[in-house]
Amino acid sequence: MADLPPKKVGLISCSGEEMPEGTISRLAVRKVMETMQKGKTATICLPLFLAGGEGDRAFARAYPTIAIDGCEKRCAARGTERYSGKPAAGIVVSALSPHAREELGTARRLSACGRDMVMATATAMSQLVDRLLESSHETENRPRENSEMAAAGISGMNQEEK
Amino acid sequence: MNPKAFIVPCSGIGKAYGSVARESAFCVTEDLRPETSRIMPLSLLVLGEEETREALARTPVIAVDGCKLSCAAKVAAEMGGEVRHALQVLDTFRRHPEWKPEGISELNEAGHQLARALGEEVALLVDEIKDEVKNG
């Protein structure tokens, strides 16, 4: 039997230099990649869609992707859709977080509360990775809409843009 | 609001050098030249919205990249910005090989020292162009 390449989920983070939620996005992606879903995820820097080659732009066509954004501008989700392919799911940290921005620290240095949000964001992302990997075994490889998750800042998979 | 030069750092999710670029930008805009510089997030530039393009058209850019792909410089130029200076973390590292950066989520001490050195280089460039910045 032929060895097939392992299924992976692509994670694309906002760069987040303007607000703590952006740093939370970025650190949560690293946590998922390095510990929670090691070997099952891949990432790419968002600007590579513009600065890189066709191989980079094909990223979201090669992998089901999760866009992790710090705020409602959703640069990662919109940039990915524009230059590569529509993300299968998305997380917006500012919608997921129950905390006021000031409680999270700064983009450069997160507070303890901000670091807790890294863990919460990573956990939500890891659950999405599991669902996407499960769904890749089904004939329809886009998981179902989950309005409860959407309300909590996690957009499920094949939802229409609101 | 005072006019502020734009520092565009690499978004640095995959390599320690990217994290150095990002930290150096914070060094400039928060520690060394808070009154005359600000970060323009690369993610926002990727979207290329009209408001961002207008701001770029009035302000020379200093791009700080973590690798030779030069995403920061390329994207800023693509969106209509005038990239007055395009710096590479690796060039600063060659001048300071004793500071080998490690860690992406959390830079080691050498990475912070390298970022500080790079930030000091960028701060001098901010001083050079500050009279040309028209976004105040």
Side-chain angles (χ1 to χ4, degrees), chain B residues 7-10 16-28 32 62-67 86-93 95-96 99 101 107 110-126:
Chain B
I7 315 295
V8 182
C10 136
Y17 292 107
S19 296
V20 172
R22 178 182 161 92
E23 177 61 22
S24 75
F26 285 131
C27 279
V28 179
L32 301 171
I62 300 172
V64 184
D65 273 298
C67 74
L87 283 74
Q88 292 276 345
V89 174
L90 271 171
D91 292 335
T92 306
F93 178 55
R95 289 191 285 278
H96 300 281
W99 294 330
L107 275 176
H112 280 284
Q113 287 179 292
L114 187 65
R116 177 80 187 187
L118 176 54
E120 286 169 0
E121 293 174 26
V122 174
L124 295 176
L125 299 174
V126 168

Side-chain angles (χ1 to χ4, degrees), chain A residues 12-14 21-22 25 46 67-78 90-94:
Chain A
I12 301 169
S13 173
C14 101
E21 292 92 336
S25 305
L46 180 63
I68 302 93
D69 277 299
C71 72
E72 289 296 339
K73 284 181 184 166
R74 297 188 308 116
C75 296
R78 293 162 64 203
I91 293 176
V92 178
V93 175
S94 61

Side-chain angles (χ1 to χ4, degrees), chain B residues 52-123:
Chain B
T52 312
R53 286 176 176 268
E54 281 175 13
L56 272 182
R58 297 194 301 270
T59 308
V61 165
I62 300 172
V64 184
D65 273 298
C67 74
K68 290 290 179 192
L69 291 170
S70 303
C71 293
K74 282 183 188 170
V75 173
E78 177 95 8
M79 294 302 156
E82 182 199 345
V83 180
R84 187 64 60 85
H85 299 282
L87 283 74
Q88 292 276 345
V89 174
L90 271 171
D91 292 335
T92 306
F93 178 55
R94 285 192 190 100
R95 289 191 285 278
H96 300 281
E98 69 278 19
W99 294 330
K100 181 168 175 46
E102 286 176 358
I104 300 169
S105 300
E106 213 164 304
L107 275 176
N108 62 354
E109 183 52 34
H112 280 284
Q113 287 179 292
L114 187 65
R116 177 80 187 187
L118 176 54
E120 286 169 0
E121 293 174 26
V122 174

Side-chain angles (χ1 to χ4, degrees), chain A residues 45-97:
Chain A
C45 303
L46 180 63
L48 260 183
F49 290 141
L50 271 183
E54 180 50 37
D56 300 305
R57 281 187 283 277
F59 187 83
R61 295 193 287 276
Y63 299 108
T65 53
I66 304 171
I68 302 93
D69 277 299
C71 72
E72 289 296 339
K73 284 181 184 166
R74 297 188 308 116
C75 296
R78 293 162 64 203
T80 303
E81 180 165 5
R82 184 179 301 174
Y83 297 110
S84 186
K86 188 171 183 175
I91 293 176
V92 178
V93 175
S94 61
L96 188 66
S97 171

Side-chain angles (χ1 to χ4, degrees), chain A residues 105-118:
Chain A
T106 66
R108 191 179 189 186
R109 289 190 189 90
L110 295 179
S111 65
C113 178
R115 290 192 294 276
D116 287 346
M117 273 310 299
V118 171

Side-chain angles (χ1 to χ4, degrees), chain A residues 5-12 28-44 59 62-66 68 122 125-137:
Chain A
K7 298 273 185 197
K8 288 194 180 190
V9 173
L11 307 175
I12 301 169
V29 165
R30 293 303 312 181
K31 185 167 280 296
V32 170
M33 286 189 62
E34 290 167 7
T35 58
M36 299 170 88
Q37 298 283 0
K38 193 172 181 179
K40 299 177 187 172
T41 50
T43 191
I44 189 172
F59 187 83
Y63 299 108
T65 53
I66 304 171
I68 302 93
M125 199 186 321
S126 183
Q127 288 167 353
L128 285 174
V129 169
D130 284 336
R131 290 179 60 189
L132 284 167
L133 289 174
E134 278 169 26
S135 72
S136 70
H137 297 298

